[in-house]
Amino acid sequence: MTLRDKVVIVTGATSGIGLATARLMSAKGAKVVCVARHASQEFYSVCADVTDRAQVFAAVEKIIGEFGKIDVLVNNAGFGISGSVEDTAEEDARRIFDVNFYGMLNFIQAVVPHMRSGGGGKIINMSSVAGELSIPFQAFYSATKSAIISLSEALRNEVAPFNIKVCCVLPGDVRTGFTSARKKNAYDNPAYGDRITKSVAAMERDERGGMSPEVIAKVVVRCASVKNPPVAVSGGAKYALFMFLARLLPRRFVNFILGRMYD
């Protein structure tokens, strides 16, 4: 499927993977709509907080009024928190689910009726390798990304009769502003010693040395372009290998290795 003249919503398209995706979609001839809290200087923008259901539905109606249809939705907006499960503030845990999971859900529920009446479309949800391989001291981020995978798999079957295709993209480590924007616990129990500091430092080192967001943008555009995208696809060749091996090896062994990597 060519993307020329397709109407594509990208949430969180003002930086990182979202911006790279919006640029590549535009280069392919798509009509890109950036939805974020702040307007984009490059693309047609509708300002909305993804956690505000009323704002999301109003944004989608405005887009329909402007373009008459929505062909592709890329649910990209999200952020990370780190620290021990024991000491993570309840409001922080709820906030990350509000943005990463419920923000995505708000857009899905607003867009699906329009895709159905329009004869179909594609929904691409940004998950993470961390959704399959849960990382210590980043438990809530991993939990939101795991929830995205589960919802996407169920949704794919629910909307299949309407010619709506659903796909999950699972990036590995990517060089973006996401790293510096990660929120860290204000307090972690001294019982953990320096394990949290070392674990988060290892994560951030991997991210800063990771692939460019353009690599993931290419994966997203490929999923939007093919007739029947995969249920889930990893971003980056080495992460695809990690995922393959993780499915072959005993779960307890995989969990042990992850603990050693980030301890």
Side-chain angles (χ1 to χ4, degrees):
M1 180 185 90
T2 177
L3 291 174
R4 182 161 299 281
D5 295 326
K6 300 296 182 183
V7 178
V8 179
I9 295 175
V10 183
T11 68
T14 53
S15 63
I17 293 171
L19 179 57
T21 297
R23 285 173 173 168
L24 188 55
M25 289 281 191
S26 181
K28 297 290 185 181
K31 298 175 181 176
V32 175
V33 181
C34 167
V35 179
R37 287 178 297 172
H38 308 290
S40 167
Q41 300 303 309
E42 292 189 48
F43 307 102
Y44 178 85
S45 293
V46 179
C47 292
D49 183 333
V50 298
T51 68
D52 188 317
R53 187 174 176 84
Q55 287 186 22
V56 168
F57 274 73
V60 168
E61 290 305 318
K62 182 175 181 179
I63 293 164
I64 289 294
E66 179 71 23
F67 297 99
K69 62 175 183 173
I70 296 168
D71 297 295
V72 180
L73 167 64
V74 181
N75 276 310
N76 167 77
F79 79 107
I81 62 176
S82 65
S84 69
V85 170
E86 175 185 358
D87 296 304
T88 298
E90 180 184 358
E91 57 266 29
D92 289 340
R94 290 185 181 278
R95 175 63 180 168
I96 196 170
F97 269 93
D98 281 346
V99 175
N100 292 8
F101 182 79
Y102 288 105
M104 175 201 69
L105 177 62
N106 286 339
F107 266 97
I108 289 170
Q109 292 183 333
V111 164
V112 162
H114 295 290
M115 286 187 172
R116 182 170 56 241
S117 64
K122 290 194 175 73
I123 298 172
I124 301 170
N125 296 324
M126 197 64 65
S127 180
S128 170
V129 169
E132 292 278 9
L133 304 174
S134 192
I135 300 173
F137 305 114
Q138 194 171 245
F140 292 99
Y141 177 76
S142 291
T144 62
K145 295 303 183 178
S146 180
I148 287 169
I149 295 169
S150 295
L151 182 139
S152 299
E153 289 178 350
L155 179 67
R156 183 181 172 103
N157 285 322
E158 290 179 8
V159 298
F162 312 129
N163 193 35
I164 300 173
K165 312 294 184 181
V166 182
C167 174
C168 245
V169 175
L170 284 64
D173 294 316
V174 183
R175 298 190 308 271
T176 69
F178 179 92
T179 302
S180 57
R182 178 182 284 113
K183 182 173 183 180
K184 298 177 174 65
N185 279 359
Y187 169 84
D188 282 299
N189 196 304
Y192 293 97
D194 63 354
R195 292 173 57 216
I196 297 172
T197 301
K198 288 167 62 178
S199 177
V200 174
M203 266 189 299
E204 295 186 343
R205 181 177 63 250
D206 290 345
E207 289 167 354
R208 292 192 174 100
M211 69 190 101
S212 73
E214 285 73 24
V215 173
I216 305 304
K218 289 177 182 178
V219 175
V220 175
V221 169
R222 187 161 61 247
C223 290
S225 302
V226 298
K227 183 177 180 180
N228 191 29
V231 176
V233 57
S234 301
K238 75 174 183 179
Y239 298 100
L241 176 61
F242 290 165
M243 298 286 290
F244 175 73
L245 291 175
R247 292 187 181 106
L248 292 179
L249 297 170
R251 189 161 190 156
R252 184 164 67 175
F253 178 71
V254 172
N255 188 256
F256 170 76
I257 294 298
L258 283 168
R260 297 292 300 210
M261 287 173 62
Y262 295 101
D263 201 349

